Amino acid sequence: MGREVVRVVGEGDDLDVVAEVDQGDDLDTLTGSDVIVDFTHPGVVMENLRWCVEHDLDVVVGTSGFAEERLDEVRGWLADHPDVRVLVVPNFSVGAILMMRFAEQAARFFESAEVIEMHHAGKADAPSGTALRTASLIGAARTAAGLGPPPDATASSRPGARGATVDDVHVHSVRVAGLVAHQEVLFGGNGETLTIRHDSLDRVSFMPGVLLAIRRIGSLPPGLTVGLEVLLGLD
């Protein structure tokens, strides 16, 4: 993803790549940039992000692994840097964003809801950031509609067989060589099911969203923003 971002930014007539930073490089080379784009690793992204905030640099974050606890930590840093913008994007694909939005709309109409996310075997975190965000949106929509947890009569199971639980929604992670990024949201009701699925077949599918975030992060209010929805006119 990092190499692909560098390529498309370098091809933009209105954009310049100021610096490329990899593991072990000096972050001071980023000083003077208008926007930092972080596609790194869940194990190092928080250290990178804190450095950027402390140096008053706007950041677009594409690294996965941002559960609510991490988002709260970022909000705490930003309290001391009121002019900094941090945009954390669970998925830059327009199709994936619409998939999440459709799932949020459907959630209140169905008794059952589960998420299955499928990625390449090199992905470092599970569940994916997209799956976590999807499950949170579904859970919030179900709560607003007065729905309780989905029915589940499982009495015994192997550890992990029912996946992780995020806001009462089961999330299942698949890691298989040859995949890129795929997600299904399964809804069930009386005598019917609804499946909402999105597939990214190549990393180029994320690049229009990355460029949108870089070009328009300055239009966002200072502080933390999660997702591209506001930049796409969906909020």
Side-chain angles (χ1 to χ4, degrees):
M1 285 296 293
R3 286 192 296 269
E4 190 66 19
V5 170
V6 169
R7 182 187 68 79
V8 298
V9 170
E11 293 175 352
D13 294 336
D14 59 333
L15 301 171
D16 291 306
V17 178
V18 176
E20 302 173 36
V21 176
D22 207 339
Q23 183 176 358
D25 293 343
D26 186 357
L27 295 181
D28 286 336
T29 60
L30 300 173
T31 304
S33 303
D34 293 317
V35 183
I36 308 300
V37 181
D38 188 294
F39 274 99
T40 54
H41 187 280
V44 299
V45 63
M46 294 299 283
E47 180 181 348
N48 295 342
L49 185 50
R50 182 167 189 170
W51 184 93
C52 291
V53 171
E54 290 177 347
H55 287 77
D56 294 313
L57 296 170
D58 290 347
V59 194
V60 173
V61 183
T63 305
S64 195
F66 275 83
E68 196 60 37
E69 294 81 6
R70 284 195 162 189
L71 295 175
D72 285 340
E73 189 173 357
V74 174
R75 292 184 183 102
W77 302 337
L78 288 168
D80 296 325
H81 298 269
D83 295 326
V84 177
R85 298 170 180 85
V86 173
L87 175 59
V88 175
V89 182
N91 199 308
F92 286 94
S93 161
V94 173
I97 293 167
L98 292 173
M99 174 267 296
M100 289 187 276
R101 175 54 59 92
F102 298 155
E104 181 183 22
Q105 293 175 337
R108 62 192 176 96
F109 295 103
F110 291 91
E111 187 178 21
S112 293
E114 302 208 2
V115 177
I116 304 171
E117 56 97 348
M118 298 157 279
H119 283 80
H120 56 89
K123 187 168 178 57
D125 59 318
S128 69
T130 301
L132 290 173
R133 176 70 170 162
T134 306
S136 293
L137 291 171
I138 292 172
R142 289 177 59 87
T143 298
L147 299 176
D152 184 358
T154 303
S156 63
S157 66
R158 295 288 184 95
R162 294 291 291 122
T165 303
V166 180
D167 293 335
D168 291 328
V169 178
H170 287 281
V171 180
H172 310 269
S173 297
V174 177
R175 298 291 177 264
V176 174
L179 297 177
V180 178
H182 318 263
Q183 182 167 293
E184 289 187 355
V185 185
L186 306 179
F187 293 103
N190 291 326
E192 64 174 342
T193 61
L194 171 66
T195 301
I196 302 173
R197 177 175 175 126
H198 175 262
D199 299 275
S200 282
L201 307 177
D202 192 292
R203 287 175 177 82
V204 297
S205 65
F206 305 117
M207 293 306 108
V210 172
L211 293 175
L212 176 66
I214 293 171
R215 288 178 171 130
R216 299 208 34 213
I217 188 172
S219 69
L220 296 174
L224 176 65
T225 300
V226 179
L228 278 184
E229 285 83 350
V230 65
L231 296 182
L232 292 170
L234 296 175
D235 275 345

